[in-house]
Amino acid sequence: MKAVLFEKFQEALKLTTVADPSPEPHGVVLKVAATGVCRSDWHGWMGHDSDIDLPHVPGHELAGVVEAVGKDVKTWKIGDKVTVPFICGCGTCSECHSGNQQVCLAQEQPGFTHWGSFAEYVPIHQADLNLVALPETMDFATAASLGCRFATSFRAVVDQGKVSAGQWVAVHGCGGVGLSAVMIAAAAGANVIGVDLDPAKLAMAQKLGAVAVIDGREVDVPAAIQEITKGGAHVSLDALGHPATMTNSILCLKPRGKHVQVGLMLGDQAAPAIPMPKIVGQEIELLGSHGMQAHRYGAMLDMVASGRLDPSRLVGKRISLAEAPQELMEMDKFQSVGATVITRF
């Protein structure tokens, strides 16, 4: 099969030919129809993820069709249209038994713990636990964006942030995760404020339901949010993953507000300074959010089917597999509006 591979961290990726995968007894092999290019993939290529063994094929936001089925799989058959959370549960640990596969103690992640979806085919383990059936009406590019950015935002807003109608919600960073969070929080009835440095992304945030936007280059972000909300946001999300956006997110909250850390901070940013006086003095809640379980996709897909959510609006550029190396290597320099998705293999 064709695949994008790197042999050393931070060195150029290449399009090459590698052996086709075979399914494990409990797994499947998917023919990849679309896969997103995500900042997490860039972190992996940079060497920020200890799970990656070289050489490596990145890619974890994917949708496709079941191509081969392991002998122990009961739920799926060849030809099924599916997606998969980027965190795959083992099915046997205490967290999986409690329904929290997103923090599985022995989790596997396509594109990190094993070769991923920047390829024509990708293996997925524990298929009966981890695969999600897709509506026939949903195009593959939209479905690919669900696996990481949109699903991650859904859990961050709905399950972790517990956002409700009338609340003020600040979203720091309006990339794929942030714009997803804007749409989802607005659908929940919240008053959403989008924060970014890019006017095009702020304009998109307004189109997706933000009642106000802030250009972080021009103002004191926490002060501006405190003024707009008359006292601070109820919930604030760092959707980028940077010490500055994390700090702004915490400082913009009202007393007893919730900060949800969605964006990854790795490498030299893995241990940022935290404004502890605000957290203690105002009883701020700090919450992590890491993907979403397969069994929670139904709630999200129901909102898509009803028209309350439209993730297709978040799909940006559609590129070929051959264009993926350059797109990934330049991700820290420039990110397009919406999710860049590989749709041609």
Side-chain angles (χ1 to χ4, degrees):
M1 68 176 180
K2 290 186 290 185
V4 169
L5 179 133
F6 61 91
E7 297 177 332
K8 293 184 179 179
F9 295 117
Q10 301 182 34
E11 289 193 1
L13 299 95
K14 61 182 180 181
L15 181 63
T16 187
T17 301
V18 298
D20 291 350
S22 299
E24 298 174 272
H26 53 71
V28 299
V29 170
L30 302 184
K31 182 177 176 61
V32 182
T35 184
V37 182
C38 179
R39 185 175 171 84
S40 299
D41 299 312
W42 177 85
H43 277 297
W45 171 69
M46 286 292 291
H48 296 163
D49 195 305
S50 61
D51 289 329
I52 292 177
D53 293 324
L54 298 175
H56 186 67
V57 175
H60 63 285
E61 290 184 316
L62 66 132
V65 175
V66 175
E67 178 78 10
V69 180
K71 65 181 181 62
D72 296 335
V73 175
K74 298 178 175 61
T75 307
W76 307 98
K77 64 183 186 303
I78 292 171
D80 285 344
K81 180 179 178 180
V82 297
T83 187
V84 63
F86 75 90
I87 300 165
C88 294
C90 69
T92 60
C93 73
S94 58
E95 296 305 326
C96 282
H97 283 308
S98 71
N100 289 301
Q101 290 83 17
Q102 82 284 357
V103 289
C104 169
L105 300 176
Q107 63 190 248
E108 292 200 11
Q109 298 181 19
F112 298 97
T113 59
H114 63 278
W115 284 11
S117 53
F118 282 19
E120 292 182 281
Y121 302 98
V122 62
I124 301 297
H125 87 151
Q126 296 295 341
D128 287 334
L129 177 66
N130 294 309
L131 288 190
V132 177
L134 288 170
E136 285 301 320
T137 55
M138 181 176 287
D139 77 289
F140 283 114
T142 300
S145 73
L146 297 177
C148 177
R149 281 169 269 205
F150 203 82
T152 293
S153 294
F154 189 89
R155 176 169 170 77
V157 171
V158 176
D159 293 347
Q160 296 294 82
K162 293 181 170 55
V163 168
S164 59
Q167 288 187 323
W168 283 98
V169 175
V171 177
H172 301 260
C174 292
V177 170
L179 290 173
S180 300
V182 168
M183 178 189 289
I184 293 162
N191 303 300
V192 186
I193 301 171
V195 184
D196 204 277
L197 308 179
D198 184 342
K201 292 178 182 177
L202 294 176
M204 186 64 172
Q206 287 182 301
K207 291 178 182 177
L208 296 175
V211 299
V213 294
I214 295 172
D215 188 329
R217 300 171 300 176
E218 299 176 352
V219 297
D220 179 327
V221 170
I225 293 172
Q226 292 276 347
E227 181 178 350
I228 292 169
T229 60
K230 303 296 187 264
H234 297 83
V235 180
S236 184
L237 298 88
D238 175 9
L240 175 63
H242 188 278
T245 46
M246 178 207 71
T247 301
N248 286 343
S249 178
I250 293 169
L251 294 180
C252 81
L253 288 164
K254 71 191 302 288
R256 308 197 78 243
K258 295 177 182 177
H259 163 75
V260 185
Q261 187 63 42
V262 189
L264 292 172
M265 281 188 278
L266 301 171
D268 60 2
Q269 298 178 352
I274 297 174
M276 197 56 69
K278 164 89 172 181
I279 293 165
V280 175
Q282 296 189 4
E283 295 190 349
I284 300 300
E285 292 185 56
L286 299 184
L287 298 162
S289 195
H290 190 226
M292 190 169 78
Q293 319 94 306
H295 69 77
R296 281 291 287 154
Y297 271 62
M300 179 177 69
L301 291 172
D302 285 347
M303 291 183 71
V304 174
S306 72
R308 292 179 66 192
L309 296 176
D310 184 5
S312 67
R313 298 177 65 188
L314 299 170
V315 176
K317 291 194 299 183
R318 300 177 187 228
I319 65 171
S320 68
L321 189 64
E323 295 172 286
Q326 198 67 30
E327 191 75 22
L328 179 59
M329 289 186 291
E330 294 181 353
M331 194 154 209
D332 199 46
K333 300 175 184 175
F334 173 78
Q335 294 187 44
S336 60
V337 176
T340 296
V341 182
I342 301 165
T343 56
R344 302 188 304 279
F345 294 82

